[in-house]
Amino acid sequence: MKLARDPSELDVMVMPNLYGDIVSDLCAGLIGGLGLTSSGNIGQGVAVFEAVHGSAPDIAGKNLANPTALLLSALMMLDKMNMEAKATMIRNAVFDVYRDGKHITGDVGGKATCTDFVSAIIDKLE
Amino acid sequence: LCVCVCTIFANLSTMLKKFINSKNLGFLPKYNFGTYAEGRHKGAIHVPIAINPGVGSNRHVTCIPGTGIGPEITDSVKKILSAAHCPIIFDDINDFKMDSIHDPSFQNTVRKNEVIMLGMLQDRDGDKYVDHFKVYQELGCFADLFYAKTLPGVNTRHKNVDIVVIRENTEGEFSGVEHEVYPGVVESIKIITREASRKIAEYTFEFAYLSGRKKVTAVHKANIMKLCDGLFLEECRKVAEQYPFIKYEEIIIDNCCMQIVKNPWQFDVMVMPNLYGSIVGHAVAGICGGAGVACGANIGENHVIFEQGTRIAGKDIEGKSIANPTAMILSSIMMLKHMDLPKFAFDIERALEKTYQDGKVKTMDLGGSSSLEQFTEEVIANLSKI
């Protein structure tokens, strides 16, 4: 209920498996969906970073996918590998592109292709 | 002699009716028999209800105020029902204890009336954690009907949400069967039975059918709990086949929670096992304005328990008269409709609606600054203005 009413009070949450499944999806819903949510599975000696959205067979291979989820997960990976500076740089570039709103993909209301979106991010980095 | 007596009685009853209608007596309402109407307009056809003889006499309802904000909100409801002249007498059980649920003397008090109005039950220190849920099991209340709707004047991100959540109330994750298999390793057993799943599915579709609702969504996690939730879904599907005019869908609990915050309008009636019911119910309450606006009824064959939908104790605001009694008032309206007292339900519904539409008096949880008493007084005042 707290998440649905006023999530601003919450910061980091820890919980068992099932609740984590439910709460993480609920939080993804609050911020715009699974297309923008990053995740990493951390173990001892190994970590797997992945996007939590589905395989979207209907848009596969058409250059329409939004790579944000996987990209943000990859930045989490850089953070873990002690490359926070680079991660922050790329993260800021991504947020700038979203703020401009000119080169965002269809799932978030724009018209850009996947490659357009990535080019825009690279432009920001340069 | 018989004819004389009958004529006298017939005349008396006509005279009594005229008397009642002409005077606003302190203890009897100025009652136009059977003319209340929802959305009545000129030319509306509105057929009165042919009530059974004797149903206007006072009915007894058990009231368990309980703990936390329970006493305040049940008090509020009693005041409103009294102001609306409802023919209800509350039998209070002020010292209700969970352990007494098996006590023979309590059996008489608690089981005496079909309808029970409950403020709030809480575990106390030393109780086993699921004890207060045993009340629902003991009284056979297998279905928790939870209802939340966006109320006028309440500032929420989503407008016009209207969802009924029907939660299985007796088993599932709340079976209370846990043990430590090995130090530091605990098992918790979730019990799903065909019988309980069938009963809750049947109740849900019956409810949807009789309320004119168009869609039932079953919530589950059968991709992981294949046998447990799989059994639940099996029973839901069987019942769904008997109601081809009601749309039936299934959704996994995690996606369901996401959809509730993204696109809640796709849901109408939802059915699910115990734990998911608690989670989804709270999420729905959250998008409608919080625990203060969701009502609930626990239904069984012999008893119905009316309470706040989210069963919130409000420990931090207990006794300060700042709780929002709306949830309990909505529950009492459900209770009046259940008891075939629609006129009073309608009056209180309209008074509550007017209070929210005017927007002058609002409790703190909804961004206002009024106390529980002020809100109650406003609803009572509006009873005479509708």
Side-chain angles (χ1 to χ4, degrees):
Chain A
M1 178 154 63
K2 250 205 168 97
L3 282 170
R5 277 196 90 183
D6 181 16
S8 61
E9 290 176 30
L10 297 154
D11 191 356
V12 178
M13 303 194 285
V14 59
M15 61 206 81
N17 213 329
L18 176 67
Y19 307 150
D21 198 19
I22 295 169
V23 170
S24 60
D25 265 30
L26 201 158
C27 292
L30 293 172
I31 59 113
L34 293 177
L36 306 169
T37 317
S38 55
S39 85
N41 303 279
I42 320 288
Q44 283 166 328
V46 66
V48 178
F49 295 88
E50 57 171 353
V52 285
H53 55 65
S55 54
D58 47 335
I59 56 168
K62 295 181 186 163
N63 197 13
L64 292 170
N66 184 351
T68 306
L70 190 56
L71 183 54
L72 291 176
S73 305
L75 299 182
M76 242 202 243
M77 179 182 73
L78 292 184
D79 280 336
K80 184 147 179 22
M81 295 162 80
N82 295 320
M83 295 190 228
E84 287 97 342
K86 299 254 186 258
T88 316
M89 219 165 68
I90 303 173
R91 202 173 283 127
N92 288 336
V94 174
F95 291 164
D96 279 341
V97 171
Y98 267 100
R99 241 172 254 127
D100 289 345
K102 290 193 286 253
H103 299 282
I104 52 178
T105 46
D107 60 316
V108 286
K111 296 202 182 69
T113 60
C114 183
T115 35
D116 280 346
F117 177 65
V118 171
S119 305
I121 299 176
I122 294 174
D123 284 340
K124 291 276 177 203
L125 286 171
E126 280 153 11
Chain B
L1 181 64
C2 274
V3 170
C4 271
V5 169
C6 288
T7 330
I8 292 171
F9 270 119
N11 284 336
L12 269 177
S13 70
T14 328
M15 276 165 52
L16 189 61
K17 234 196 254 181
K18 273 205 188 129
F19 180 68
I20 292 171
N21 275 337
S22 65
K23 295 201 184 317
N24 199 357
L25 299 169
F27 56 93
L28 283 172
K30 188 166 166 55
Y31 192 30
N32 282 320
F33 292 94
T35 56
Y36 83 92
E38 304 201 25
R40 187 168 178 73
H41 57 274
K42 263 198 168 56
I45 296 178
H46 183 76
V47 177
I49 298 173
I51 60 172
N52 280 324
V55 298
S57 51
N58 284 326
R59 326 263 194 95
H60 286 256
V61 167
T62 308
C63 176
I64 303 177
T67 54
I69 55 172
E72 305 165 65
I73 54 178
T74 45
D75 243 12
S76 167
V77 163
K78 284 178 188 166
K79 286 198 189 118
I80 295 173
L81 259 58
S82 165
H85 305 292
C86 296
I88 290 183
I89 293 180
F90 286 101
D91 300 335
D92 288 333
I93 304 182
N94 286 314
D95 53 348
F96 184 78
K97 289 183 194 43
M98 237 64 68
D99 339 358
S100 324
I101 193 88
H102 297 294
D103 203 314
S105 66
F106 259 116
Q107 295 288 336
N108 293 332
T109 26
V110 169
R111 290 185 192 268
K112 196 165 67 108
N113 303 316
E114 184 225 348
V115 178
I116 300 165
M117 189 168 81
L118 172 63
M120 172 63 209
L121 287 175
Q122 264 177 302
D123 295 322
R124 297 155 307 152
D125 293 326
D127 286 350
K128 246 171 61 190
Y129 81 104
V130 279
D131 261 5
H132 71 267
F133 291 95
K134 284 229 176 346
V135 176
Y136 308 114
Q137 289 175 14
E138 265 302 305
L139 296 171
C141 296
F142 67 91
D144 178 8
L145 193 156
F146 170 105
Y147 175 60
K149 171 190 198 308
T150 346
L151 297 175
V154 174
N155 185 21
T156 53
R157 187 176 284 269
H158 312 88
K159 314 285 177 212
N160 299 320
V161 177
D162 188 315
I163 297 177
V164 172
V165 175
I166 298 186
R167 161 190 182 181
E168 205 291 321
N169 218 10
T170 61
E171 55 173 33
E173 301 82 350
F174 290 66
S175 308
V177 185
E178 287 193 321
H179 50 256
E180 191 170 26
V181 210
Y182 182 83
V185 179
V186 176
E187 260 182 5
S188 183
I189 301 191
K190 167 175 167 172
I191 301 175
I192 298 272
T193 57
R194 191 178 293 281
E195 171 74 9
S197 307
R198 181 187 54 81
K199 270 172 88 165
I200 197 77
E202 278 175 359
Y203 182 79
T204 306
F205 278 92
E206 259 176 5
F207 167 80
Y209 170 37
L210 294 175
S211 323
R213 292 208 171 232
K214 309 275 189 311
K215 180 155 96 162
V216 170
T217 310
V219 181
H220 64 99
K221 188 83 189 162
N223 51 340
I224 303 292
M225 286 175 265
K226 298 182 166 69
L227 291 183
C228 247
D229 288 355
L231 178 58
F232 180 81
L233 282 185
E234 209 181 291
E235 290 305 308
C236 287
R237 285 173 194 153
K238 277 192 212 160
V239 177
E241 279 169 17
Q242 298 167 28
Y243 294 84
F245 48 89
I246 295 179
K247 194 155 190 275
Y248 172 69
E249 283 180 353
E250 293 168 1
I251 190 170
I252 299 183
I253 175 71
D254 47 8
N255 187 21
C256 175
C257 289
M258 179 155 67
Q259 295 304 322
I260 286 175
V261 296
K262 278 187 89 177
N263 178 15
W265 304 279
Q266 61 186 287
F267 299 117
D268 189 357
V269 179
M270 305 170 79
V271 62
M272 60 203 79
N274 217 325
L275 178 66
Y276 309 151
S278 177
I279 295 171
V280 169
H282 275 70
V284 170
I287 59 169
C288 291
V293 304
C295 57
N298 301 278
I299 299 124
E301 319 246 307
N302 300 316
H303 293 284
V304 188
I305 305 175
F306 292 93
E307 57 172 1
Q308 300 175 99
T310 54
R311 301 176 179 165
I312 197 154
K315 271 195 182 134
D316 47 337
I317 54 172
E318 139 181 20
K320 298 186 190 157
S321 184
I322 50 179
N324 186 350
T326 304
M328 205 67 226
I329 300 172
L330 289 169
S331 230
S332 70
I333 296 171
M334 258 211 290
M335 177 178 79
L336 292 168
K337 292 189 185 182
H338 172 83
M339 295 170 79
D340 284 328
L341 295 170
K343 184 255 183 208
F344 305 98
F346 173 76
D347 285 349
I348 300 175
E349 236 174 19
R350 298 292 83 78
L352 193 61
E353 211 175 78
K354 183 169 192 307
T355 311
Y356 272 97
Q357 274 163 349
D358 290 347
K360 288 178 295 178
V361 180
K362 249 198 266 189
T363 43
M364 283 175 41
D365 61 321
L366 298 175
S369 51
S370 309
S371 71
L372 184 146
E373 264 96 30
Q374 286 169 328
F375 187 84
T376 311
E377 288 309 316
E378 183 70 8
V379 174
I380 292 175
N382 282 330
L383 274 172
S384 48
K385 294 183 196 160
I386 43 154

